[in-house]
């Protein structure tokens, strides 16, 4: 099963008022485990950067002005996520921006049924508790010391670890490993049970066969040898 952990950084809170994406980070999972494949890009928003937003992620217009616009990276992004489920913390925020950007390009939006919101999972699992990404990292003992500011790729990497804990913790990985080991053992056993292409020649002599036949006759009609 392929999943994509996804995060974005933006110029503000609402694409309907002109805010745009400035960074996309994504991490690929197979069977809930990171593969090492990632997608990361900074995006020129083609507008100014409010001070409040820059204070959150540290991305200035001076830094972003020579970066590609969303239209230039959209196809690479869509090819990376392909048809995988998208795992996002506070998914309604990120998906509003992603679908707005796709809409500007007249590309199909991503349907909500493809999206898993880890914030909703965390709220169900830890009702009444703080469930921000930082709070979840603290709860599960995940090192987030590098997170001095929000960053789409780093946040995706941290969320991948949080997601594993939310769906069952490290035990999930052990179960998957055990399943793979069992499958491998089954394959080995099946290979060992294969018939030889050329049967081995019998090592019994004619005298030995005759002696065995006489022995069975002496056992009588109820002998197990005759019932087999």
């Amino acid at each position: 099963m392929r999943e994509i952990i996804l995060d974005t950084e933006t110029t503000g809170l609402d694409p309907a008022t002109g805010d745009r994406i400035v960074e996309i980070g994504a991490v690929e999972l197979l069977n809930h485990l990171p593969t090492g494949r990632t997608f990361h890009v900074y995006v020129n928003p083609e507008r100014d950067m409010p001070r409040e937003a820059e204070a959150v992620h540290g991305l200035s217009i001076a830094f972003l002005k020579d970066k590609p616009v969303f239209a230039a990276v959209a196809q690479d992004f869509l090819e990376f996520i392909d048809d995988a489920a998208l795992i996002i913390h506070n998914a309604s925020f990120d998906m509003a921006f992603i679908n707005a950007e796709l809409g500007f390009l007249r590309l199909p939006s991503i349907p909500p049924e493809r999206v898993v919101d880890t914030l909703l999972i965390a709220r169900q699992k830890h009702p009444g508790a703080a469930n921000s990404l930082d709070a979840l990292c603290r709860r599960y003992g995940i090192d987030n010391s590098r997170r001095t500011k929000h960053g789409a790729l780093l946040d995706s990497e941290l969320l991948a670890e949080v997601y594993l804990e939310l769906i069952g913790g490290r035990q999930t990985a052990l179960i998957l490993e055990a399943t793979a080991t069992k499958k491998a053992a089954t394959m080995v056993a099946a290979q060992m049970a294969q018939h030889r292409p050329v049967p081995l020649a019998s090592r019994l002599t004619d005298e030995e066969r005759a002696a065995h036949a006489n022995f069975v006759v002496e056992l009588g009609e109820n002998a197990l040898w005759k019932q087999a």
Side-chain angles (χ1 to χ4, degrees), residues 70 74-75 78 99 101-110:
F70 185 84
Q75 194 57 42
L78 292 173
N99 282 333
E101 296 284 0
L102 294 174
F104 296 150
L105 302 177
R106 297 184 178 181
L107 293 171
S109 62
I110 297 172

Side-chain angles (χ1 to χ4, degrees), residues 22-220:
V22 296
E23 185 184 10
I24 303 173
V27 173
E28 180 187 62
L29 305 183
L30 282 179
N31 296 325
H32 303 317
L33 299 175
T35 65
R37 289 190 66 214
T38 63
F39 178 89
H40 182 231
V41 65
Y42 294 108
V43 180
N44 182 345
E46 303 179 280
R47 54 152 290 169
D48 66 310
M49 178 68 71
R51 286 181 298 175
E52 297 85 356
E54 186 174 341
V56 172
H57 48 58
L59 302 177
S60 66
I61 287 300
F63 173 77
L64 295 168
K65 66 180 181 180
D66 64 345
K67 302 302 185 287
V69 298
F70 185 84
V73 302
Q75 194 57 42
D76 288 342
F77 169 68
L78 292 173
E79 288 177 2
F80 182 81
I81 65 173
D82 196 19
D83 59 353
L86 304 181
I87 315 300
I88 307 174
H89 202 65
N90 193 18
S92 60
F93 177 87
D94 299 85
M95 291 310 303
F97 276 92
I98 290 171
N99 282 333
E101 296 284 0
L102 294 174
F104 296 150
L105 302 177
R106 297 184 178 181
L107 293 171
S109 62
I110 297 172
E113 55 267 24
R114 279 188 57 185
V115 181
V116 175
D117 192 340
T118 51
L119 179 58
L120 297 182
I121 298 175
R123 285 174 175 170
Q124 292 172 357
K125 193 168 184 178
H126 308 291
N131 286 302
S132 67
L133 183 57
D134 282 332
L136 290 168
C137 285
R138 288 192 296 271
R139 179 176 293 123
Y140 293 126
I142 296 168
D143 181 10
N144 64 340
S145 58
R146 295 178 295 157
R147 196 179 189 243
T148 56
K149 289 186 180 294
H150 289 213
L153 184 57
L154 174 59
D155 287 2
S156 294
E157 292 169 344
L158 292 173
L159 183 57
E161 295 188 63
V162 167
Y163 176 57
L164 177 60
E165 296 294 343
L166 287 173
I167 62 174
R170 293 178 177 83
Q171 183 177 0
T172 300
L174 294 175
I175 291 171
L176 289 169
E177 183 179 353
T179 300
T181 302
K182 183 177 180 181
K183 182 178 180 181
T186 301
M187 292 174 64
V188 171
Q191 291 176 0
M192 293 177 65
Q194 290 179 356
H195 295 292
R196 292 176 180 270
V198 179
L200 290 174
S202 175
R203 297 181 180 180
L204 292 175
T205 65
D206 291 339
E207 290 78 6
E208 288 171 333
R209 291 193 183 93
H212 177 70
N214 291 332
F215 174 73
V216 171
V217 169
E218 292 175 359
L219 292 175

